[in-house]
Amino acid sequence: MIEVVQAFDRKPIADIESDDAAALERKLVTARRLFRDRTAWIPVHERMAILERLAALMAAERDALGMQIAREGGKPLTDALVETDRAIDGVRNGVDVLRTKAGREIPMGLTRASDARRAFTIVEPIGVVAAISAFNHPLNLVVHQIVPAIVAGCPVIIKPAGPTPLSCLRFAELVREAGLPDGWCQTFVPESTDLAERLVTDPRVAFLSFIGSARVGWYLRSKLAPGARCALEHGGVAPAIIDRSADLDKIVEPLVKGGYYHAGQVCVSTQRIYVHADLADAFTERFAARVAQLKVGDPTLAETEVGPLITPKEAARVQSWIAEAVAGGARQLGGGSLSETTLKPSVLVEPPRHAKVSTLEVFGPLTCIYAYKDIDEAIESANSLPVAFQASVFTENLRVALDAAERLDASAVMINDHTAFRTDWMPFAGRRESGYGIGGIPWTVDEMTEEKMIVFKS
């Protein structure tokens, strides 16, 4: 049995049955059998109907799903309900993808050797999908892994994050209630990471969808069976650049949201803020004052804006990184702890460039402010790490916006918005150590399918 506790106060929520090696083998046998039997493949119109019913079922229990996210994951209820709404819309997005997903014609007759032929492609599922999910969006992330598999026609086995399995388990139940036949979406909740690795590396798995740390993701990729493909979503140390022309009245609120949403436990959370020296003092004063106003505490209360970290261990780690930066000369504004899991938001001014808070993903309620004199210096600093995901530029100058957007090492650059902006249908991908492959529901469907060409000679 696995005990699930509330992130905020560590009180037990539920005990759930764990899966052993025999259960894993049964799930893999089932998934492989379904994929190999083309007569068992679910027609497109049935997949569309299943997803439409699923969205309706989720909408009917929206409030309960949001509260479950708040309890097991610690996300403030207001944000947890937003996550639920996004998850419902993500299911509907899967229907939209099914309406347009198709093969294409390949031109023939371009040479004498290719004359008298017509060629086209059809889209086929890649095979069994193994999905490893993360705790910070326990419902929406599994939607981003399970729904594309249903759209693509792939059997999927998903392992939720250890601290937050309940949202995933309930979603899988709803998928079955919506009419997905048995075996096409299976959950896997082992007590040990060894079994999770065995799932990923099994030769019957054709595709790995992984959301989590870079260390684990790249390790698992190195262990995949020959021919297996993967998509890895890791994290970053997201930079935001504030140009001299930026309007301080417009930028404080989005930067506070980008830095402290879900207590900073977001892979594109705004962490490094580079502000022009002419604005540095005024921005820091306004920003720190707004951060100090954030309501911190029980995530199940509607007024809470910042909840706990996922475990006491993570809270202690963030505190130690802050202490290291302060010992190295950083000025700390705010901070402190409310409980073993809940930290008050902190702002660090001019931490050392080699400190952990400047070079590694904090995944906590902390942002760092650095002053610069020339934007080239800010861009160079923003691009100085081996991670690259999303970035931001705040400016009223179009030339600066376009120039910085092109020069920043990022998969997406937001102009006058925080680094954590995302829609569920846009491409979402880390570069270099931050990830591999492309997320976002339509893009993940592409990752989980293959094109087969058919050539007719007449």
Side-chain angles (χ1 to χ4, degrees):
M1 298 291 289
I2 296 175
E3 183 181 63
V4 183
V5 302
Q6 294 190 147
F8 177 63
D9 55 17
R10 315 303 291 167
K11 290 182 179 178
I13 304 175
D15 291 321
I16 60 175
E17 294 284 347
S18 61
D19 291 311
D20 58 14
L24 173 58
E25 179 61 21
R26 288 194 299 272
K27 293 171 191 289
L28 285 166
V29 167
T30 297
R32 179 63 172 171
R33 174 179 52 78
L34 289 172
F35 177 70
R36 295 295 293 174
D37 179 8
R38 284 180 174 254
T39 65
W41 288 11
I42 307 169
V44 170
H45 67 89
E46 289 187 18
R47 281 179 262 159
M48 292 175 67
I50 289 165
L51 292 175
E52 287 167 347
R53 289 192 294 268
L54 175 59
L57 289 170
M58 294 173 70
E61 58 179 76
R62 169 185 181 264
D63 291 347
L65 290 170
M67 181 60 74
Q68 187 162 262
I69 293 168
R71 293 184 71 197
E72 68 173 344
K75 180 177 290 184
L77 181 59
T78 300
D79 293 327
L81 289 170
V82 171
E83 177 181 340
T84 303
D85 290 338
R86 284 181 56 188
I88 295 168
D89 189 63
V91 174
R92 294 179 177 136
N93 188 217
V95 178
D96 296 337
V97 175
L98 276 168
R99 291 186 186 278
T100 58
K101 184 69 175 171
R104 53 190 171 139
E105 183 177 2
I106 306 299
M108 290 287 151
L110 304 181
T111 63
R112 186 179 299 277
S114 65
D115 201 17
R117 289 170 174 83
R118 298 298 295 270
F120 59 91
T121 66
I122 60 174
V123 178
E124 294 186 330
I126 191 172
V128 176
V129 171
I132 308 292
S133 205
F135 76 84
N136 53 336
H137 310 290
L139 179 61
N140 201 37
L141 290 181
V142 300
V143 165
H144 274 256
Q145 295 172 297
I146 291 174
V147 167
I150 294 172
V151 171
C154 297
V156 58
I157 303 171
I158 185 163
K159 177 201 170 297
T164 56
L166 301 180
S167 294
C168 177
L169 294 175
R170 181 56 188 152
F171 181 72
E173 290 173 353
L174 291 173
V175 169
R176 289 190 288 273
E177 289 179 30
L180 189 73
D182 288 345
W184 284 93
C185 175
Q186 302 179 86
T187 58
F188 179 58
V189 189
E191 292 194 36
S192 73
T193 57
D194 292 345
L195 284 179
E197 181 177 338
R198 190 182 303 182
L199 163 65
V200 167
T201 58
D202 191 279
R204 288 165 288 191
V205 169
F207 189 87
L208 165 64
S209 170
F210 175 84
I211 304 172
S213 74
R215 179 184 61 82
V216 175
W218 292 115
Y219 169 77
L220 291 177
R221 179 174 178 261
S222 73
K223 299 292 184 179
L224 294 181
R229 288 169 25 194
C230 69
L232 311 176
E233 184 182 310
H234 302 147
V237 189
I241 295 175
I242 301 174
D243 176 49
R244 180 190 295 178
S245 68
D247 186 340
L248 293 185
D249 292 333
K250 297 178 180 177
I251 70 175
V252 169
E253 205 61 37
L255 280 167
V256 170
K257 186 65 175 180
Y260 299 94
Y261 167 69
H262 197 11
Q265 297 171 113
V266 180
C267 60
V268 286
S269 178
T270 305
Q271 184 172 323
R272 296 177 291 156
I273 302 174
Y274 298 96
V275 56
H276 193 279
D278 290 352
L279 302 179
D281 290 342
F283 169 77
T284 301
E285 181 180 354
R286 289 195 195 188
F287 183 74
R290 178 65 185 92
V291 170
Q293 295 172 357
L294 291 170
K295 294 178 175 62
V296 186
D298 186 344
T300 64
L301 302 178
E303 63 269 21
T304 298
E305 296 173 285
V306 178
L309 298 186
I310 191 63
T311 63
K313 180 181 177 181
E314 288 301 296
R317 175 189 58 78
V318 173
Q319 287 281 60
S320 71
W321 287 17
I322 292 172
E324 176 201 62
V326 171
R331 178 164 60 100
Q332 182 178 2
L333 304 175
S337 62
L338 291 180
S339 71
E340 62 176 347
T341 58
T342 309
L343 304 180
K344 296 178 181 179
S346 294
V347 179
L348 290 180
V349 181
E350 297 293 349
R353 300 301 173 103
H354 62 271
K356 290 185 178 69
V357 298
S358 298
T359 57
L360 302 175
E361 184 178 33
V362 172
F363 231 58
L366 168 69
T367 57
C368 302
I369 297 175
Y370 314 85
Y372 71 88
K373 294 183 179 179
D374 184 272
I375 197 166
D376 291 341
E377 170 194 345
I379 293 174
E380 182 179 358
S381 295
N383 291 346
S384 63
L385 302 180
V387 291
F389 214 139
Q390 298 193 165
S392 291
V393 180
F394 290 85
T395 181
E396 297 295 305
N397 185 312
L398 181 59
R399 182 190 62 79
V400 170
L402 292 174
D403 181 62
E406 291 187 2
R407 294 167 60 197
L408 280 167
D409 187 8
S411 59
V413 179
M414 313 303 163
I415 309 299
N416 294 327
D417 205 352
H418 60 73
T419 61
F421 172 79
R422 181 186 183 184
T423 68
D424 298 285
W425 59 87
M426 76 185 212
F428 189 73
R431 290 184 173 181
R432 295 191 281 150
E433 291 185 13
S434 289
Y436 183 81
I438 303 177
I441 288 170
W443 310 86
T444 301
V445 172
D446 289 341
E447 299 273 357
M448 292 181 180
T449 54
E450 296 179 305
E451 283 189 284
K452 176 188 285 181
M453 190 169 73
I454 299 172
V455 182
F456 276 84
K457 184 179 180 182
S458 59

